[in-house]
């Protein structure tokens, strides 16, 4: 299966992933780090050999990616705020709405990311309902991560 991440109407990245589960609503895939080289965010590094177990929903406004090293050590969860995922042929298409959340492996760090990019995107003016759904999804994931962690959400 191919994952297609779309941002502002253009394909940002596409990469192959192995399907693990699909119950009609919740889709789970596994893929190696698809970026070129190392991406150092300051709070985590994504690098060749990392493995992402990615969770997408057809009815939720986010995707959650569990990130592990190649030898299985959990780094944490990177959460993208997105429109609900759509499976089109062999491709899972996901529209990134700029907001992100990082949750460290031990849950001690929960970081809201790219709120400035979201504000600058103009989504609130173009599509106020989508902007409201996106902010609600970020709040939901943030609260869940701080209260009980993301494990229950990701059970499949």
């Amino acid at each position: 299966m191919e994952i297609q991440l779309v941002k502002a109407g253009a394909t940002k990245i596409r990469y192959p992933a192995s399907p693990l589960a699909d119950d009609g609503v919740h889709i789970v895939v596994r893929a190696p780090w698809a970026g070129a080289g190392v991406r150092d965010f300051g709070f985590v590094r994504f690098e060749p050999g990392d493995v992402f177990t990615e969770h997408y929903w057809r009815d939720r406004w986010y995707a959650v990616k569990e990130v592990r090293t190649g030898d299985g050590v959990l780094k944490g969860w990177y959460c993208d705020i997105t429109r609900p995922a759509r499976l089109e042929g062999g491709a899972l298409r996901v529209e990134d709405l700029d907001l992100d959340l990082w949750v460290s492996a031990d849950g001690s760090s929960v970081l809201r990311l790219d709120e400035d990019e979201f504000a600058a995107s103009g989504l609130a003016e173009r599509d106020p309902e989508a902007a409201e759904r996106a902010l609600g999804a970020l709040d939901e994931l943030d609260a869940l991560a701080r209260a009980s962690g993301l494990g229950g959400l990701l059970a499949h």
Side-chain angles (χ1 to χ4, degrees), residues 100-121:
D100 301 293
L101 186 78
W102 170 254
V103 182
S104 63
D106 64 3
S108 66
S109 178
V110 178
L111 304 173
R112 295 168 72 108
L113 308 169
D114 303 327
E115 290 177 297
D116 54 338
E117 286 181 34
F118 177 76
S121 75

Side-chain angles (χ1 to χ4, degrees), residues 73-130:
V73 176
L74 179 64
K75 290 185 174 188
W77 297 269
Y78 195 89
C79 308
D80 286 319
I81 303 305
T82 66
R83 291 183 189 269
R86 296 187 333 258
L87 191 57
E88 299 174 351
L92 187 64
R93 188 172 169 87
V94 183
E95 184 180 346
D96 184 341
L97 297 176
D98 294 311
L99 293 168
D100 301 293
L101 186 78
W102 170 254
V103 182
S104 63
D106 64 3
S108 66
S109 178
V110 178
L111 304 173
R112 295 168 72 108
L113 308 169
D114 303 327
E115 290 177 297
D116 54 338
E117 286 181 34
F118 177 76
S121 75
L123 184 64
E125 293 76 30
R126 283 191 325 277
D127 190 343
E129 183 181 340

